[in-house]
Amino acid sequence: MSVAVQTREGALILDSHKLSYHMDRVEAWEAGEHIAPVSVDMALTRACGAMCSFCYAMMQESQARSSVSVPRALNLLDDFAAVGIRSVSLVSDGESTLSNAYVPFIQHAAKLGIDVGNATNGWEWEPEKIEQVLPHLTWVRFTVAAGRPESYADIMYKGPEHTKVFDRAIEHIRYAVELKRRKSLPVTLGIQMVLMPSLREEIIPFAQLGLDLGVDYAVIKHCSDDEQHTLGIDYSQYEGLHDLLVQAESMSNERTKVIVKWSKIKDGDKPSYKRFYGPQFLLQISGSGLVAPSGMFFNARYSKLHIGNFTEERFIDIWKSERYWRAMDYLASPAFDAQTMMGTLPIQHYVSVALDNHAKAIERIQPGIGEKPLHVNFL
Amino acid sequence: MAVTIQYANADTPVPGPAWSRLRDDERLQLVKSTVGGKLGAAGDIFIFGEAKMDGQIILAFHEPVPADKRGTLLLDLESFLKDSIDPGLVVWLEPLGDRNSLRNLRGIEVKA
């Protein structure tokens, strides 16, 4: 695993995990206890106004969608606090900024002491909304598919002529960067490119855009695909991008770090683990309300791993249920093979590699020492 | 106590020759008759579509089943089929395609 990247505000870990700072949960898990997740990755809606060519949400349609009301969203947070969940990332399978629950959710989480991060395209993230949420967010990561307006519009929207979506996103990102500076907010702002092998020409312009915007980081990651290869990603082609990615990283300056998620790119389409322990620590919830161990299992295909829907029953009851632990136990049993039965490189990948290595005594997870990294509650 | 780490190195069972040597229609019929024999009319909630040589059994529900019920139903079914026919069998539902009309303009089709 690569080391943390030093930023002006602290150590930033994007290409590894932070289990070392949650040894209470690691030890309880190893002892066979039913643990609460450290973190939940979720969305407040399945809706999205973009049409990104790399979007995994295209493969995440479950059997039914439910609307996430404000009271349900706030109850969910109360339940998270009750069971001991430490952070929530609004990423998952929808554009949460479109939800009526978006602002109250973030503000309520702050009151409960739960850290919140958010990934967004930024299109509907206007200044008024930014002012309401930015002081309460630990990080915001903007999906920026490319550094050039035409390429961005082609990858994320209807075609290269629709550059106004790029202009709108950039305007909002600049507003957030300025607001952070003006109010000295402790929030990390980054942009992310989901790199498909065909997008090699976009790597350097993307890194340059990160520098121009003055965000804290610009990260480049792999593209996930399902086990049926629906998106047709050829992982062997990433190797040919190595030099360009190194060049992009070398563009880092004092203010903006360009970071490549080397571990995920190198791990390609076959994980080292067969058992999938990560969801016990990092649970995912769909914008449809569906609670399933991982976003890899949101699609109806994986209905045997669907646990419940928090718009129909309280999350705390779902977490306590036999259903929840049956699904988690299934993923930890020989019946499940992560190498053949799910998509590539899930959000729980780093955690799952570390837990698997720990379980096999290849590399035991050690307690973290020294100053905690940024975003320590986001695994 | 939960299942934790004892299976980290274990291999996942694959179907044996008794299953693999059957034709597609014979495997499907075996699954249907085994489920019918055990569940009777209760088994009618399932529509079995495929029973592949690699052990994957693809099915659908006659009617939508709530999220708090379908996991248990399907894990019970898989467990029963493993015990009754072959430990290498796994159950999957027919996949659903994206309902987002905008994203659908990309023309991506979720594969079964």
Side-chain angles (χ1 to χ4, degrees), chain A residues 97-355:
Chain A
T97 60
L98 300 176
S99 166
N100 290 336
Y102 177 71
V103 172
F105 183 90
I106 291 169
Q107 293 177 341
H108 191 60
K111 284 183 196 155
L112 294 170
I114 297 173
D115 296 342
V116 184
N118 180 205
T120 174
N121 57 36
W123 296 358
E124 304 304 324
W125 207 60
E126 300 92 348
E128 185 184 358
K129 206 177 278 183
I130 300 171
E131 297 270 359
Q132 289 177 297
V133 299
L134 203 61
H136 306 296
L137 287 165
T138 303
W139 53 265
V140 184
R141 191 184 68 217
F142 303 93
T143 302
V144 177
R148 297 182 291 193
E150 294 78 12
S151 306
Y152 176 101
D154 193 32
I155 299 164
M156 293 183 66
Y157 202 49
K158 294 178 181 175
E161 68 276 25
H162 295 276
T163 54
K164 64 183 178 186
V165 291
F166 176 86
D167 297 338
R168 189 171 171 79
I170 297 305
E171 179 189 340
H172 295 160
I173 297 170
R174 287 193 194 283
Y175 189 91
V177 170
E178 172 55 22
L179 183 64
K180 171 184 170 170
R181 187 197 61 74
R182 184 160 32 97
K183 293 193 172 179
S184 300
L185 298 175
V187 60
T188 305
L189 300 174
I191 60 174
Q192 175 169 275
M193 176 187 187
V194 179
L195 179 62
M196 298 176 90
S198 59
L199 301 179
R200 60 181 300 128
E201 300 301 325
E202 304 302 332
I203 293 172
I204 300 302
F206 167 79
Q208 185 60 52
L209 178 63
L211 306 186
D212 294 345
L213 287 168
V215 289
D216 300 300
Y217 69 85
V219 65
I220 301 170
K221 61 168 268 189
H222 73 292
C223 184
S224 290
D225 203 350
D226 66 11
E227 68 271 40
Q228 325 299 328
H229 306 292
T230 294
L231 292 180
I233 305 299
D234 179 358
Y235 288 89
S236 68
Q237 290 188 19
Y238 279 112
E239 196 174 329
L241 305 178
H242 177 270
D243 292 351
L244 270 174
L245 292 170
V246 170
Q247 184 185 341
E249 279 194 322
S250 72
M251 293 166 67
S252 295
N253 61 26
E254 174 66 18
R255 184 166 64 173
T256 303
K257 304 302 176 189
V258 180
I259 299 168
V260 175
K261 288 193 169 185
W262 292 109
S263 297
K264 280 195 170 181
I265 286 175
K266 287 175 179 169
D267 286 351
D269 59 352
K270 191 166 185 182
S272 57
Y273 48 89
K274 293 180 176 179
R275 309 289 96 80
F276 194 30
Y277 302 125
Q280 293 185 49
F281 293 79
L282 173 47
L283 179 71
Q284 283 186 275
I285 298 178
S286 167
S288 68
L290 176 70
V291 178
S294 170
M296 290 281 150
F297 309 131
F298 287 167
N299 193 282
R301 172 178 167 82
Y302 311 94
S303 290
K304 67 184 177 187
L305 295 166
H306 292 181
I307 303 167
N309 189 306
F310 80 86
T311 68
E312 294 162 8
E313 59 182 323
R314 291 291 293 247
F315 175 81
I316 196 166
D317 295 324
I318 295 174
W319 178 72
K320 287 179 177 174
S321 71
E322 187 184 339
R323 286 172 274 143
Y324 183 97
W325 291 105
R326 190 172 181 194
M328 295 298 179
D329 287 352
Y330 184 89
L331 299 177
S333 78
F336 185 76
D337 185 350
Q339 296 177 350
T340 59
M341 295 182 182
M342 68 178 198
T344 59
L345 303 169
I347 195 170
Q348 298 93 348
H349 179 70
Y350 297 118
V351 174
S352 295
V353 169
L355 292 166

Side-chain angles (χ1 to χ4, degrees), chain A residues 36-86:
Chain A
V38 173
S39 188
V40 171
D41 177 75
M42 62 174 288
L44 295 167
T45 177
R46 274 271 297 162
C48 184
M51 44 184 292
C52 301
S53 59
F54 51 76
C55 185
Y56 201 85
M58 290 188 281
M59 286 94 82
Q60 291 179 305
E61 196 71 60
S62 60
Q63 292 196 32
R65 289 190 186 188
S66 301
S67 178
V68 178
S69 66
V70 174
R72 287 286 189 187
L74 302 190
N75 284 346
L76 181 68
L77 284 168
D78 290 338
D79 289 350
F80 285 174
V83 305
I85 289 164
R86 295 165 180 164

Side-chain angles (χ1 to χ4, degrees), chain A residues 29 31-32 49 51 61-63 154-155 157 229 274-275 277 299-301 304 306 323 326 329-330 334, chain B residues 1-5 7 9-12 56 68 70 76 78 91 93 95-96 98-99 102 106 108 111-112:
Chain A
W29 163 77
M51 44 184 292
E61 196 71 60
S62 60
Q63 292 196 32
D154 193 32
I155 299 164
Y157 202 49
H229 306 292
K274 293 180 176 179
R275 309 289 96 80
Y277 302 125
N299 193 282
R301 172 178 167 82
K304 67 184 177 187
H306 292 181
R323 286 172 274 143
R326 190 172 181 194
D329 287 352
Y330 184 89
Chain B
M1 180 168 292
V3 174
T4 52
I5 61 176
Y7 301 117
N9 288 303
D11 288 328
T12 298
Q56 295 189 71
D68 64 336
R70 57 188 183 244
D76 283 348
E78 181 174 293
V91 163
L93 231 62
L96 273 183
D98 193 4
R99 293 193 184 113
L102 195 57
R106 290 279 176 201
I108 299 292
K111 298 171 185 170

